[in-house]
Amino acid sequence: MARNPITLSSETARRIWLKAQRLDEEAPFGAGPAASAAAIAHLGYVQIDTINVIERCHHHILYSRIPDYRRADLSHLQSAEKSIFEYWTHALSYVPVEDLRFFVPAMKVFRDNPSAWFGTVSKAEISAMRKRLREGGPLSIRDIDDDELVEKDHPWASRKPSKRVLQLMFYQGHVAIAAREGMLKTYDLIERHFSWASTPKPATERQITAYLLDRALRSQGIVSLDSICHLNAKAKKPVRELIEARVKRRDLVPVIIEGAEKVPHWAAPSVLEAEARPSGRVHVLSPFDPLVIQRKRLKIFFGYDHLFEAYVPAAKRVYGYFALPVLVGDRVVAAVDLKTDRAAGKLLVQKWTWLEEVGAEERAAVDVELGRFERFQLGV
């Protein structure tokens, strides 16, 4: 395989990306809890978000790839099977527990310099919370009724001191989120939750670099430095060096995408040799879906600028408060601003924006998928 760059049309590039995201098949991961575990392992992580205008994004992302997805499947993996855990990737996310060792060094950073993140939390407070958990078992903030309300003195601080202590202990790796009900988290000592004698051995810097690259190659097909190191600028230099080494070994091939020639991309030869066809499948995607969250990449591959306007004044919104891209095959054809009225049992269309001309057959397919999405939202 030559090391000279291979030029791809944006159409071919996005079909490779859709295939890597497993959005081109009906049920690529099967069904049941095992399907959710397989999806999270393949994607590398699934982002968690607090916004509940429609279904929260962690459920939405899995639903988009698992037709029979049930919310209880995720709870089973986290609390019963304990095959996934929550931690920070570019945002709070579900991650396969097999990958926890790649996050242990980040936990150490929070232990070594806690005040930079959470204000003043003393060792005595952490020791006291460890004792409370050890003697009283797992707890949520709702279980703590003896806190005094205090004024915030740091952007990440809480008005309940115990919450701030638990949050810091979470990032330090002292506690794990053992269960989640909506946004209410239950914490437990990490060693008890996972039945560990000790925390897994931390990965080395070289192993973490390889992990970041391999995770992106698996879930993106074609990668760039930005897509590999999303919101992780410090990783770019070692990742770039690893890419160059793999290109020399012919494990990776430089790729040029038409229309974005100035942005270097790479892919494995096997990915470029495999045929990626349009599936015609319809998806109403979360704005936090891995296909959507990296806006510049989305623009390069799909020619679509997604606008997340929840924090934009109403008068200045283009697509709406919580617009969702509508994917038909390999095209984003619409953006629909939805809201779930759970009391009335309806999915409300706040605003619909067509971005491309579509035929009657495609419109009908979009209506069918919207109906399926509504049933999922309402638990029907």
Side-chain angles (χ1 to χ4, degrees), residues 6 10 23 72 81 125-126 150 175 198 205 213 223 226 233 258 277 287 316:
I6 291 179
S10 59
L23 288 168
E81 192 173 294
E125 287 177 293
I126 292 175
V150 297
V175 299
S198 60
E205 290 186 11
L213 176 55
V223 301
D226 282 343
E258 290 180 350
R277 296 179 178 179
K316 295 183 179 181

Side-chain angles (χ1 to χ4, degrees), residues 148-161 164:
E148 294 182 6
L149 296 181
V150 297
E151 293 302 321
K152 295 185 178 182
D153 58 4
H154 186 277
W156 284 19
S158 167
R159 294 193 69 197
K160 276 197 169 187
R164 187 171 72 251

Side-chain angles (χ1 to χ4, degrees), residues 14-324:
R14 65 177 173 260
R15 289 177 182 177
I16 291 173
W17 189 15
L18 287 168
K19 185 178 180 68
Q21 280 289 304
R22 309 305 292 273
L23 288 168
D24 62 337
E25 301 178 50
E26 182 176 357
F29 300 108
S36 292
I40 295 169
H42 178 80
L43 296 172
Y45 61 87
V46 167
Q47 181 174 341
I48 301 169
D49 194 74
T50 60
I51 296 177
N52 199 31
V53 175
I54 57 162
E55 186 53 81
R56 290 190 171 96
C57 71
H58 39 288
H59 294 306
H60 191 168
I61 291 166
L62 292 171
Y63 157 85
S64 294
R65 293 157 177 84
I66 305 170
D68 296 326
Y69 173 72
R70 298 293 180 267
R71 296 163 185 82
D73 294 345
L74 196 57
S75 298
H76 174 81
L77 297 178
Q78 180 173 23
S79 303
E81 192 173 294
K82 302 177 183 177
S83 58
I84 60 174
F85 72 103
E86 295 188 27
Y87 205 69
W88 194 268
T89 53
H90 75 273
L92 188 63
S93 304
Y94 288 109
V95 184
V97 73
E98 290 82 3
D99 294 342
L100 193 146
R101 66 193 186 97
F102 298 111
F103 296 85
V104 173
M107 295 173 181
K108 185 177 183 300
V109 171
F110 281 100
R111 293 187 188 194
D112 292 343
N113 193 16
S115 62
W117 308 99
F118 287 90
T120 303
V121 176
S122 69
K123 291 182 179 180
E125 287 177 293
I126 292 175
S127 296
M129 184 60 73
R130 285 189 66 89
K131 181 180 179 182
R132 184 170 188 168
L133 287 164
R134 187 168 54 251
E135 295 178 353
L139 58 82
S140 71
I141 297 304
R142 189 176 292 170
D143 298 323
I144 300 173
D145 57 8
D146 56 359
D147 268 2
E148 294 182 6
L149 296 181
V150 297
E151 293 302 321
K152 295 185 178 182
D153 58 4
H154 186 277
W156 284 19
S158 167
R159 294 193 69 197
K160 276 197 169 187
S162 293
K163 181 177 180 180
R164 187 171 72 251
V165 174
L166 282 169
Q167 286 177 327
L168 175 59
M169 291 175 69
F170 166 74
Y171 283 102
Q172 290 179 331
H174 291 301
V175 299
I177 297 173
R180 174 184 285 274
E181 183 180 346
M183 288 296 108
L184 180 65
K185 295 170 283 192
T186 296
Y187 296 88
D188 196 7
L189 295 170
I190 194 168
E191 62 270 18
R192 183 167 62 197
H193 175 68
F194 288 113
S195 300
W196 288 337
S198 60
T199 306
K201 182 180 178 181
T204 65
E205 290 186 11
R206 292 183 65 180
Q207 289 170 334
I208 293 171
T209 298
Y211 161 74
L212 293 174
L213 176 55
D214 291 335
R215 185 180 70 183
L217 287 167
R218 182 178 65 246
S219 63
Q220 298 174 11
I222 301 170
V223 301
S224 67
L225 272 182
D226 282 343
S227 76
I228 301 162
C229 306
H230 182 51
L231 301 182
N232 185 9
K234 68 179 182 180
K236 286 187 175 181
K237 184 177 184 294
V239 167
R240 180 61 187 253
E241 291 171 351
L242 180 57
I243 289 172
E244 291 171 353
R246 290 193 184 184
V247 169
K248 288 181 180 179
R249 296 199 305 264
R250 304 183 188 276
D251 293 334
L252 289 179
V253 178
V255 171
I256 294 174
I257 299 175
E258 290 180 350
E261 289 83 359
K262 293 183 179 180
V263 182
H265 287 82
W266 299 268
S270 59
V271 168
L272 299 175
E273 292 163 2
E275 187 173 12
R277 296 179 178 179
S279 66
R281 299 196 59 75
V282 178
H283 295 284
V284 179
L285 295 173
S286 166
F288 302 103
D289 193 278
L291 198 80
V292 182
I293 192 65
Q294 296 192 37
R295 311 292 191 229
K296 291 181 180 179
R297 178 178 171 88
L298 185 67
K299 174 69 173 179
I300 289 172
F301 282 69
F302 286 85
Y304 166 61
D305 274 319
H306 184 73
L307 303 175
F308 183 69
E309 300 175 298
Y311 306 115
V312 174
K316 295 183 179 181
R317 292 175 191 149
V318 177
Y319 297 144
Y321 178 85
F322 200 72
L324 312 178

